[in-house]
Amino acid sequence: FYTARDGQDYELNLIDTPGHVDFSYEVSHAMGACEGAVLVVDATQGVEAQTLANLYLALDKGLDIVPVINKIDLPSARADEVAEELEELLSVPAESVLCISAKEGMGIEDLLEAIVAQVRPPAGDEEGRLRALIFDSHYDSYKGVVAYVRVVDGVIRAEMALQLMSTGGQLAPLEVGVFAPGMRPVAELRAGDVGYLATGLKNVRECRVGDTVTSAAEP
């Protein structure tokens, strides 16, 4: 939750994706859950091939792009040159590219303001039938497969009867929650929210990345 300079409170759901080009499948599904992408470029390395690959994925999905140059605290940083590379790549003025140091905390508030100003809010319908995208998962020996979801429409509540669209499999989540950044149970996830479902399923194959979770009563 972020209180912006305009006095409004904003809920920011952030998904970190691997930058490496070998993970393009995972990155693609994570981007499918988002409205915007913060494109982080290393001030010492500049725009690399994998940066371009992920940028094109984000543009293909119609995401709002917020370009950022990180690690400006390092002696070898060449922020001005990298900003010019981004100007050529994205047709944005070099002086408008944000320069930050995540390590030192420099420029972070400006970045949060840019996300609020430049990334559109989710347009899902809370009253609609449930549609939630599974974009990642992990296995927990107590909770079974934990599916990471972005709710597109509708609401997911704990212990609600759910259905997986591709397999037709049914489940009732043991727990519904958000990442804050650790796993924190909540009563429900609404349209626009990013969170997790502890499914109780014993096999990751039963809960595939890219599948849609819906209501068993009203699929």
Side-chain angles (χ1 to χ4, degrees), residues 3-122:
T3 303
R5 290 170 190 156
D6 63 7
Q8 296 284 322
D9 289 330
Y10 293 88
E11 179 183 326
L12 306 179
N13 287 290
L14 307 171
I15 299 172
D16 184 25
T17 65
H20 201 274
V21 74
D22 289 351
F23 293 96
S24 62
Y25 180 77
E26 291 87 343
V27 172
S28 177
H29 282 297
M31 287 184 182
C34 297
E35 274 67 42
V38 178
L39 179 71
V40 184
V41 179
D42 189 312
T44 65
Q45 303 285 338
V47 176
E48 298 178 280
Q50 61 202 31
T51 314
L52 287 174
N54 288 337
L55 172 61
Y56 293 141
L57 272 178
L59 291 171
D60 283 346
K61 294 189 179 291
L63 302 191
D64 299 324
I65 310 292
V66 181
V68 172
I69 299 169
N70 187 30
K71 301 189 182 176
I72 59 165
D73 57 294
L74 296 181
S76 56
R78 43 187 190 87
D80 292 345
E81 287 175 48
V82 177
E84 285 172 13
E85 289 176 24
L86 287 167
E87 180 177 58
E88 280 185 36
L89 191 60
L90 292 169
S91 301
V92 296
E95 59 272 15
S96 72
V97 177
L98 296 171
C99 293
I100 70 165
S101 165
K103 183 180 175 184
E104 302 293 338
M106 295 158 60
I108 300 303
E109 192 168 323
D110 290 337
L111 173 55
L112 292 171
E113 289 292 324
I115 292 170
V116 166
Q118 298 174 35
V119 178
R120 60 194 181 277

Side-chain angles (χ1 to χ4, degrees), residues 145-165:
V145 177
V146 178
Y148 300 13
V149 296
R150 152 68 197 271
V151 184
V152 179
D153 293 317
V155 181
I156 296 179
R157 296 183 180 88
E159 296 172 15
M160 178 177 170
L162 300 175
Q163 179 178 323
L164 296 165
M165 287 300 287

Side-chain angles (χ1 to χ4, degrees), residues 96-206:
S96 72
V97 177
L98 296 171
C99 293
I100 70 165
S101 165
K103 183 180 175 184
E104 302 293 338
M106 295 158 60
I108 300 303
E109 192 168 323
D110 290 337
L111 173 55
L112 292 171
E113 289 292 324
I115 292 170
V116 166
Q118 298 174 35
V119 178
R120 60 194 181 277
D125 178 10
E126 283 189 12
E127 304 303 318
R129 293 190 178 196
L130 175 61
R131 291 194 305 145
L133 169 71
I134 300 173
F135 65 87
D136 202 352
S137 66
H138 76 263
Y139 184 76
D140 181 281
S141 54
Y142 297 104
K143 298 173 182 174
V145 177
V146 178
Y148 300 13
V149 296
R150 152 68 197 271
V151 184
V152 179
D153 293 317
V155 181
I156 296 179
R157 296 183 180 88
E159 296 172 15
M160 178 177 170
L162 300 175
Q163 179 178 323
L164 296 165
M165 287 300 287
S166 73
T167 62
Q170 308 263 323
L171 60 97
L174 309 176
E175 184 178 295
V176 170
V178 294
F179 301 103
M183 293 167 66
R184 190 182 78 203
V186 296
E188 60 188 21
L189 293 172
R190 298 184 160 273
D193 284 344
V194 170
Y196 68 87
L197 303 174
T199 65
L201 297 172
K202 297 302 176 195
N203 193 326
V204 176
R205 281 192 293 248
E206 296 175 78

